[in-house]
Amino acid sequence: MANTGEDLSQFDISQEEKDKLVAEVIRYVLFKTHQNSGCPIKRDELTQLITKNYRQRALPALVINAAREKLSTIFGYEMKELQRSRPSSTNQGRTAQQSFADVKSYVIISQLPADVYWKYVEDVNTAHLTGFTFVIVSIVYLAGGKIAEDGLWHHMRRMGLYENEENHPVLGNIKQALEALVQQRYLQKDKVNGPEGNTLFYELAERALDEAISKKIKEYISQIVKNDGASADVE
């Protein structure tokens, strides 16, 4: 406890004030995650929340780390930090420099085993969105991590998903469902200038590049290949 007092003395705040800030960050993270369908929360947002009444530069790191620990031990969520990835064609120049303004963000991920989460936690009303996300990310992954917009829609049309469809019985507006994956940072859009004009590409973003998700995609694809091989043997 003495160490805690020493840590807080440099910020000129009490333990009670720190606990209040931690609680505010946790409430904000949980609310925004629910409100924005799992879109990453920018570190800048949390920093502004913490420094609204305090000006100590190192305080946000202390409070955010404490909030991450409490989310894990009490709520069973990992507050995972994402390093924003950049489109492959913008590694240099103005766009690349702009992206550094939004370098870090956070998402919360359940620490429950997958089978327990699916059985007791996952909302059956949103399970279809999880499936949609997984399929679209798998398509881009199989294309080498990047696919032209026309190519992606070609694959989606084969699944009965059309770009002009606004009232799909499960997904609703298909274009909006796809755009949500960009907002949630599973995908990012990259406009490339070519001899025939601009071509829009969809590329894997940081959440899809996460090791755990990448592993699941590989397992999913391996299972499909295995099942297709078994079907061919039966025929």
Side-chain angles (χ1 to χ4, degrees):
M1 206 61 188
N3 288 337
T4 302
E6 290 172 11
D7 290 339
L8 296 181
S9 64
Q10 63 180 302
F11 302 108
D12 194 28
I13 65 170
S14 66
Q15 183 66 46
E16 183 180 358
E17 288 175 304
K18 179 204 166 188
D19 291 344
K20 185 178 178 181
L21 287 172
V22 170
E24 284 182 10
V25 168
I26 290 173
R27 279 197 298 270
Y28 185 87
V29 168
L30 293 174
F31 174 75
K32 291 290 282 189
T33 297
H34 176 72
Q35 183 188 49
N36 295 334
S37 303
C39 291
I41 299 163
K42 297 175 185 176
R43 184 183 177 92
D44 283 350
E45 294 178 51
L46 302 182
T47 297
Q48 289 173 16
L49 179 68
I50 295 164
T51 58
K52 184 169 56 178
N53 298 313
Y54 301 91
R55 292 290 176 261
Q56 297 88 338
R57 290 184 63 184
L59 184 60
L62 176 78
V63 173
I64 289 171
N65 286 337
R68 293 175 76 177
E69 183 178 351
K70 194 163 273 191
L71 275 166
S72 175
T73 56
I74 297 177
F75 295 92
Y77 284 112
E78 177 190 3
M79 185 172 157
K80 190 176 182 67
E81 184 178 277
L82 300 177
Q83 191 77 23
R84 192 176 181 91
S85 60
R86 288 174 284 169
S88 56
S89 68
T90 58
N91 288 330
Q92 297 178 347
R94 183 168 173 267
T95 306
Q97 291 176 358
Q98 285 178 326
S99 68
F100 279 108
D102 183 26
V103 170
K104 291 180 180 178
S105 59
Y106 298 95
V107 292
I108 56 174
I109 301 170
S110 175
Q111 296 174 315
L112 291 172
D115 57 337
V116 174
Y117 181 83
W118 291 333
K119 187 173 182 180
Y120 297 106
V121 179
E122 185 170 46
D123 184 354
V124 294
N125 296 315
T126 61
H128 60 282
L129 295 175
T130 303
F132 175 74
T133 301
F134 206 68
V135 169
I136 299 303
V137 169
S138 296
I139 290 171
V140 181
Y141 179 87
L142 284 170
K146 185 173 184 175
I147 188 171
E149 182 182 33
D150 288 348
L152 180 57
W153 281 112
H154 169 74
H155 289 291
M156 291 176 67
R157 284 192 290 269
R158 293 179 65 185
M159 297 186 292
L161 304 174
Y162 299 93
E163 54 265 60
N164 58 355
E165 189 165 8
E166 298 182 356
N167 296 296
H168 187 276
V170 177
L171 296 169
N173 188 304
I174 301 300
K175 274 190 175 180
Q176 289 180 5
L178 182 60
E179 181 60 26
L181 301 189
V182 176
Q183 298 301 319
Q184 293 163 1
R185 298 302 299 167
Y186 287 104
L187 300 176
Q188 58 189 337
K189 291 188 279 192
D190 185 17
K191 189 175 286 187
V192 178
N193 294 323
E196 299 180 4
N198 293 332
T199 302
L200 184 66
F201 285 86
Y202 282 90
E203 189 171 349
L204 297 179
E206 55 270 16
R207 287 184 80 172
L209 294 170
D210 180 76
E211 184 178 350
I213 292 180
S214 182
K215 182 181 177 182
K216 288 180 182 178
I217 291 172
K218 291 175 183 176
E219 291 173 353
Y220 170 68
I221 293 169
S222 296
Q223 190 62 42
I224 290 175
V225 171
K226 183 179 177 182
N227 290 342
D228 284 349
S231 299
D233 290 340
V234 171
E235 291 174 1

